[in-house]
Amino acid sequence: MPAIAVTGQPASLPAERRQRMVPLLLWILGVPGLIIILLLLLGVIHI
């Protein structure tokens, strides 16, 4: 049997990148939202 290099297939790389980026996007969008809600609850800012 010929030796086969064990590397990520090109088709699987975008899916892995997407799996890593979705939690990052949720964190980036969610953390400022939580801070704003906290400030609203504390009465620091008003809409």
Side-chain angles (χ1 to χ4, degrees), residues 1 3-8 10-13 16-18 20 24-27 29 31-32 39-44 46:
M1 288 179 64
I4 298 170
V6 180
T7 57
S12 69
L13 290 175
E16 289 174 12
R17 194 170 290 156
R18 253 183 274 131
R20 220 175 294 141
L24 182 65
L25 285 172
L26 288 174
W27 189 87
L29 294 172
V31 170
L39 291 174
L40 283 169
L41 289 172
L42 292 174
V44 176
H46 301 282

Side-chain angles (χ1 to χ4, degrees), residues 32-47:
L34 289 172
I35 292 168
I36 290 166
I37 290 167
L38 180 66
L39 291 174
L40 283 169
L41 289 172
L42 292 174
V44 176
I45 58 173
H46 301 282
I47 294 177

